[in-house]
């Protein structure tokens, strides 16, 4: 009897997992707690936090990091940014991108010419405002990736925002899980890192309220890694990243900063 299933042994799985490269965050502290020296290709990562905690800034840094040339230690790849709540600004992305390239050139002792137009062409931006537009584009992503085979990072900022349109909990849960199944298949089959931002909400208990991630408890288990970002400390610009869940790393906390140049370690 024939079967379409391929059976792997543990050595095969280990070799596959450890062979996949990662996209650096430009914070060694943050890369270290992730357990894979950054955001690994083939994985789904959720960035969780209140407004102003740095979720979008980290996404822009990753979009810059993924296209660092191989001669400078990067992947020389492209990014797709799906914007659901108008957080993106091209000027901020350009600032982070060219600061990151300059830092790599200084570290590697290399001076290569990178044209601004060529660099910006490696960043693909889509407005997906509203639930209908968001879902329609996600179903088109496989075709889009066929036309853009060098994309190795997909950002969805944010996953929660389109679902504020008032659909029922049952409808939301079913739709979310179908969309996530599609994204997970894309991540694994095409070795693409998928990063989603999520917001915080208040859960009302019997006597008190608690701040928790949006979309419920069941959703919290859908991603390989769940990273909580905190708002900066007053006067210090010190931020914390906390591993809430990971398939490859233990619980950990990293300190980082957001500067005009992007994500950096605390000085």
């Amino acid at each position: 009897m024939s079967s379409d299933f391929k059976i792997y042994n543990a050595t095969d799985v280990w070799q596959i997992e450890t062979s996949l490269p990662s996209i650096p965050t430009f914070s060694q502290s943050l890369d270290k707690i992730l357990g894979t020296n950054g955001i690994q290709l083939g994985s789904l990562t959720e960035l969780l936090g209140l407004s102003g905690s740095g979720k979008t800034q980290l996404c822009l840094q990753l979009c810059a990091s993924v296209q660092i040339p191989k001669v400078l230690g990067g992947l020389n790849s492209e990014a797709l940014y799906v914007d659901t709540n108008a957080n993106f600004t091209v000027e901020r992305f350009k600032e982070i991108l060219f600061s990151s390239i300059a830092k790599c050139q200084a570290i590697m002792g290399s001076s290569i010419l990178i044209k601004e137009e060529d660099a910006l062409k490696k960043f693909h931006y889509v407005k997906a405002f509203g639930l209908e537009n968001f879902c329609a584009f996600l179903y088109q992503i496989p075709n889009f990736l066929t036309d853009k085979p060098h994309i190795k990072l997909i950002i969805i900022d944010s996953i929660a925002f389109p679902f504020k349109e008032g659909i029922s909990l049952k409808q939301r849960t079913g739709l979310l899980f179908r969309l996530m199944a599609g994204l997970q298949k894309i991540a694994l089959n095409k070795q693409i890192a998928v990063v989603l931002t999520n917001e915080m909400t208040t859960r009302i208990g019997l006597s008190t309220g608690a701040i928790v991630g949006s979309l419920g408890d069941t959703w919290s288990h859908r991603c390989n890694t769940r990273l909580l970002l905190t708002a900066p400390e007053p006067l210090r610009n010190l931020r914390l990243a906390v591993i809430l869940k990971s398939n490859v790393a233990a619980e950990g906390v990293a300190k980082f900063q957001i500067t005009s140049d992007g994500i950096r370690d605390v000085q």
Side-chain angles (χ1 to χ4, degrees):
M1 183 174 65
S2 63
S3 173
D4 293 331
F5 294 101
K6 184 174 182 180
I7 308 299
Y8 297 90
N9 60 42
T11 300
D12 294 332
V13 176
W14 179 80
Q15 288 176 341
I16 292 170
E17 290 183 351
T18 55
S19 67
L20 292 174
S22 296
I23 305 168
T25 65
F26 273 63
S27 164
Q28 291 183 348
S29 176
L30 185 49
D31 287 345
K32 183 177 180 180
I33 67 163
L34 288 168
T36 52
N37 293 318
I39 305 295
Q40 191 173 41
L41 302 191
S43 68
L44 273 68
T45 301
E46 178 187 15
L47 305 180
L48 189 65
L50 294 170
S51 178
S53 58
K55 303 184 297 295
T56 296
Q57 298 297 307
L58 180 51
C59 288
L60 294 178
Q61 178 65 70
L62 293 170
C63 289
S65 301
V66 77
Q67 65 166 273
I68 298 294
K70 290 184 178 180
V71 69
L72 298 179
L75 299 179
N76 194 30
S77 297
E78 302 177 9
L80 169 62
Y81 193 105
V82 183
D83 187 2
T84 68
N85 59 358
N87 275 340
F88 173 76
T89 62
V90 69
E91 286 303 320
R92 179 56 176 150
F93 174 65
K94 286 167 60 177
E95 190 175 39
I96 294 174
L97 172 62
F98 292 105
S99 293
S100 301
I101 292 173
K103 183 176 181 180
C104 289
Q105 289 178 326
I107 293 173
M108 302 294 290
S110 173
S111 179
I112 61 174
L113 178 63
I114 299 176
K115 295 181 180 179
E116 179 175 308
E117 183 180 357
D118 293 339
L120 293 178
K121 284 181 179 179
K122 293 183 178 181
F123 179 89
H124 308 279
Y125 173 81
V126 175
K127 288 182 181 179
F129 299 162
L131 183 58
E132 184 177 348
N133 289 334
F134 176 65
C135 293
F137 179 72
L138 286 197
Y139 286 125
Q140 293 176 31
I141 281 183
N143 294 332
F144 185 83
L145 295 176
T146 300
D147 294 335
K148 305 291 183 182
H150 299 298
I151 288 176
K152 288 298 176 184
L153 172 66
I154 296 174
I155 299 288
I156 298 178
D157 186 18
S158 82
I159 187 65
F161 204 81
F163 293 91
K164 293 184 176 183
E165 294 190 356
I167 64 173
S168 69
L169 177 61
K170 183 178 180 180
Q171 288 175 316
R172 185 188 74 181
T173 301
L175 183 55
L176 261 175
F177 275 61
R178 287 194 297 273
L179 293 175
M180 286 299 294
L183 286 172
Q184 192 167 42
K185 183 177 180 180
I186 289 170
L188 290 172
N189 291 347
K190 294 187 175 294
Q191 297 185 355
I192 292 174
V194 178
V195 177
L196 314 101
T197 70
N198 194 5
E199 303 161 13
M200 307 296 284
T201 189
T202 302
R203 175 185 292 166
I204 305 299
L206 294 177
S207 58
T208 60
I211 303 297
V212 297
S214 297
L215 304 179
D217 291 334
T218 305
W219 161 261
S220 67
H221 301 287
R222 293 300 299 169
C223 294
N224 304 109
T225 300
R226 206 172 197 220
L227 191 65
L228 174 65
L229 306 182
T230 69
E233 288 187 6
L235 305 179
R236 294 188 61 194
N237 189 26
L238 172 65
R239 300 165 187 265
L240 299 179
V242 183
I243 294 286
L244 298 181
K245 178 211 169 187
S246 173
N247 292 352
V248 296
E251 293 181 357
V253 180
K255 297 178 180 179
F256 70 100
Q257 292 179 320
I258 297 176
T259 72
S260 60
D261 295 332
I263 305 296
R264 297 293 185 265
D265 282 311
V266 176
Q267 300 299 316

